[in-house]
């Protein structure tokens, strides 16, 4: 592929030219949701960030296998090795089967992602469907000597691993300091060191989600699923692993340790992380009262929202920031995005009103296109792409107002420019366009029926003519015969 896409690699802490291991094939793994609650902004941002990468890589001609997992087991309430399973806790509180919780929230997550025009990944594997693979990786790590069994659970031996390799390469944490702290954590007496993490946990008698293993009836540790499923679907080494910055430690740090301990080498070439979302300058949290889920944004039904925001406004707003910057949600900022997106969509509609009035082009759409490619190649700089779309829309408006004259080639170039960057690559969908298109088809069908009725009348086929008129009237249409034909409207019920 001829391009110079650079992406920021969290592991090496620098921008690197993207060179896939097995071009044109690209393997990409992104940590998906733990499905036990409403889909929210913290789900939307990584999904949209990696959707942009997925779309762009495909545009560059790569064949991308995009795996985004579904965490439905093993993610404990405090993100560590003690406490209840997040899904099981929800199931207990609502008196449901854990898999009922998973099904319920997974469908809502997928619907919200579809509303945000996030393309479905190639594979969405469930952690609970890959217990055998996770037991296998645990065995491999035990065989290599970097894990130990304790009371039916298996823990990763961080201190031993750190003697051979380096624990903390991704997060940059100083693990020596962490190892030297001798603080004992309650309920973690089974571990040699508090920093050790679970590969397999023995289930307590009341624990519902459990599977047999060589060590105990239990369940896998949270970090293990991504190592096992990444390897199964993308191989022992693959190109890109992504997720939110909050996953760098401990989740991704532990994934690296698991891969290196089991295979002797790191699995991932490029680690990519999107920054976090804040609401009115604060971290989003249930206890802070600023937790707004996506459905509430779409309906406007939340005390902090002054109006509803369409999924495309949310998507556009997220893309107006670079993925490695924070995004702060507020009514004012979202309203500004809504206006901005309306301006772009209006400009796009105006392209069809443009008339070619010049014979020589003075419009340099090629230059804008080139600048947009440069921005995408510079670590997916979507805010810059958007600024050039605004520049193009100013030229469209100048032409509408008669200030500049365009050639027919210019008009076609403008349309292609928007089609590529706004719709295909940024993934904006013009919802009003879809509605208009379906109304147009509907109106054409009604016109056709009424033309058939006119013909029937000319042929004195009164039965057919009356049938069409009566049935349409019964369906709520008001039909008027005029001297040139007919008029109709749909009465509002
Ligand atoms: Zn993960």
């Amino acid at each position: 592929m001829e391009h110079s896409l650079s992406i920021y690699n969290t592991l090496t802490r620098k921008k690197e030219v993207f060179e896939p291991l097995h071009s044109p094939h690209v393997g990409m793994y992104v940590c998906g949701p733990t499905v036990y609650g409403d889909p929210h902004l913290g789900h939307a941002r990584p999904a949209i960030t990696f959707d942009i990468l997925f779309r762009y890589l495909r545009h560059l001609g790569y064949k991308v296998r995009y795996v985004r997992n579904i965490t439905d087991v093993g993610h404990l309430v405090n993100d560590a090795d003690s406490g209840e399973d997040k899904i099981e806790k929800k199931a207990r509180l609502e008196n449901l089967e854990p898999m009922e919780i998973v099904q319920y929230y997974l469908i809502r997550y997928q619907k919200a992602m579809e509303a945000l025009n996030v393309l479905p990944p190639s594979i969405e594997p469930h952690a609970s469907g890959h217990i055998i693979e996770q037991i296998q990786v645990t065995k491999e790590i035990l065989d290599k000597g970097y894990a130990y069994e304790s009371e039916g659970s298996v823990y990763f031996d961080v201190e031993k691993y750190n003697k051979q390799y380096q624990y903390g390469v991704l997060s940059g944490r100083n693990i020596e300091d962490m190892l030297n702290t001798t603080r004992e954590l309650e309920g973690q007496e089974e571990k040699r060191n508090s920093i050790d993490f679970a590969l397999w946990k023995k289930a307590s008698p009341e624990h519902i989600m459990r599977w047999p293993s060589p060590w105990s009836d239990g369940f896998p540790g949270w970090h293990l699923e991504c190592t096992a499923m990444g390897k199964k679907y993308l191989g022992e080494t693959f190109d890109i692993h992504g997720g939110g910055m909050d996953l760098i430690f401990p989740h991704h740090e532990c994934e690296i340790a698991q891969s290196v301990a089991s295979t002797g080498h790191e699995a991932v070439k490029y680690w990519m992380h999107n920054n976090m979302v804040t609401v009115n300058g604060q971290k989003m949290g249930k206890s802070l009262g600023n937790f707004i889920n996506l459905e509430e944004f779409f309906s406007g039904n939340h005390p902090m929202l002054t109006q509803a925001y369409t999924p495309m406004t949310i998507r556009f707003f997220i893309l107006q920031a670079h993925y490695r910057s924070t995004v702060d949600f507020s009514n004012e900022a979202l309203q500004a995005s809504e206006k901005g997106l309306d301006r772009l969509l209006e400009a796009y509609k105006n392209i069809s009103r443009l008339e070619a009035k010049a014979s020589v082009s003075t419009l340099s759409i090629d230059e804008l296109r080139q600048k947009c490619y440069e921005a995408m190649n510079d670590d997916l700089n979507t805010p810059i792409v958007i600024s050039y779309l605004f520049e193009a829309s100013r030229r469209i408006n100048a032409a509408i107002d008669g200030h500049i004259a365009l050639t027919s080639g210019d008009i076609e170039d403008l349309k292609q420019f928007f089609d590529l960057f706004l719709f295909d690559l940024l993934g904006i969908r013009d919802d009003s366009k879809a509605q208009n298109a379906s109304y147009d088809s509907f109106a054409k069908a009604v016109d056709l029926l009424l033309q058939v009725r006119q013909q029937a009348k000319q042929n004195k086929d009164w039965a057919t003519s009356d049938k069409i008129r009566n049935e349409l009237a019964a369906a709520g249409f008001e039909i008027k015969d005029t001297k040139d034909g007919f008029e109709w409207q749909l009465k509002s019920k």
Side-chain angles (χ1 to χ4, degrees), residues 202-218:
K202 182 183 175 177
S204 58
E206 65 277 12
H207 202 98
I208 308 167
M209 288 189 283
R210 54 168 68 218
W211 291 265
S213 81
W215 315 288
S216 63
D217 272 14

Side-chain angles (χ1 to χ4, degrees), residues 449-450 453 456 461-475 479:
L449 268 176
L450 289 171
R453 173 171 170 263
D461 177 1
W462 309 115
T464 304
S465 143
D466 289 351
K467 185 178 162 65
I468 292 174
R469 186 190 177 93
N470 295 343
E471 297 275 325
L472 282 175
I479 296 151

Side-chain angles (χ1 to χ4, degrees), residues 29-32 69 71 222-223 225-226 241-242 247 251-252 255:
Y29 188 101
V30 173
C31 291
N69 66 302
T71 297
W222 170 39
H223 314 306
E225 62 179 272
C226 295
H241 192 318
L247 295 178
H251 186 55
H252 291 162
E255 275 190 47

